[in-house]
Amino acid sequence: MTRFQEYQVIGRKLPTKTDVTPKLYRMRIFAPNETVAKSRFWYFLRQLKKAKAATGEIVAVHKISEKKPLKVKNIGVWVRYDSRSGTHNMYREMRDMSRAAAIDKLYEDLASKHRARFRSIQVLRVQEIAKTVDVKRPYIKQLLQKGLRFPLPHRLTKKYTTFAAHRPKTF
C-alpha cells in the first residue's frame, strides 16, 4: 500500500449575479487523503486563476484507481520543486506497479537527493511510457533488456541437524 492516492478534484468559483455558471476546473492530484487533495486543489487554483476556497466550492472528488494494478509500468513524471537556491523543473522516470506508487517513490527520491519537502514539490504531469523505445533514462533502460536475469551467487544449502561434528563451510 502506498502513502499517496490519486484524486480527481473538480471545483469552481461560487455563482454570482454577473457569472451565473462559472467555469469548472478539474485537476488530478496525488495526496494521502481527500482533505489534503482538496487543499492542494485550492493551492494550485489560487496560483493559476483568481479563485480561492472562501469564494469557491468543490463540486466533486473522485479517487482514481489503477486500471491494471498487477502490470509493471514505466512512468514519466514532470515535476517542479523549490530548493534553497530557486525553483527547478525536472523530468523523472519511474518503474512501478501504479502511478500512485511511482509518485510515492518520486517524493522519497526528491527528499533524499534534493532535500525537497512535500509542500515544495508540484507534480505537473504523469504519463505512462507505452513504448520501451521512448524511455530516456539509463537507470530504467537497463531494466528493459531482453533476457534480464538476477543471479543469486553463493547460495548455501541448509542442513537441518541441530548439532554438527564439524564447523560449517561457507566458501
Side-chain angles (χ1 to χ4, degrees), residues 3 14 28 31 47 55 90 97 113 116 126 135 145 150:
R3 226 172 11 140
L14 286 171
R28 288 182 136 193
Q47 288 181 346
T55 60
M90 184 183 290
M97 303 283 274
K113 291 180 181 173
V126 179
V135 174
Q145 295 172 358
F150 297 97

Side-chain angles (χ1 to χ4, degrees), residues 84-95:
R84 294 177 183 139
S85 59
T87 305
H88 309 283
N89 294 320
M90 184 183 290
Y91 171 74
R92 301 299 287 257
E93 287 178 356
M94 302 288 168
R95 186 171 167 83

Side-chain angles (χ1 to χ4, degrees), residues 107-143:
Y107 273 102
E108 289 178 3
D109 195 41
L110 287 176
S112 65
K113 291 180 181 173
H114 301 280
R115 302 293 186 262
R117 310 291 189 263
F118 174 75
R119 65 181 176 269
S120 65
I121 299 171
Q122 298 176 10
V123 178
L124 303 175
R125 187 171 152 206
V126 179
Q127 183 179 356
E128 184 181 340
I129 304 169
K131 298 178 184 174
T132 56
V133 180
D134 296 336
V135 174
K136 297 175 185 175
R137 302 294 185 248
Y139 54 86
I140 300 296
K141 273 187 181 177
Q142 69 182 354
L143 299 172

Side-chain angles (χ1 to χ4, degrees), residues 60-95:
V61 178
H62 302 290
K63 187 176 174 183
I64 299 172
S65 57
E66 197 69 34
K67 288 180 184 173
K68 294 183 179 179
L70 299 177
K71 180 188 168 200
V72 178
K73 297 173 252 322
N74 300 316
I75 298 168
V77 183
W78 285 262
V79 166
R80 176 187 299 138
Y81 76 97
D82 295 323
S83 71
R84 294 177 183 139
S85 59
T87 305
H88 309 283
N89 294 320
M90 184 183 290
Y91 171 74
R92 301 299 287 257
E93 287 178 356
M94 302 288 168
R95 186 171 167 83

Side-chain angles (χ1 to χ4, degrees), residues 7 25 33 46 72 92 103 157 162:
Y7 292 96
Y25 298 101
N33 54 43
R46 206 170 39 240
V72 178
R92 301 299 287 257
I103 294 299
T157 57
T162 308

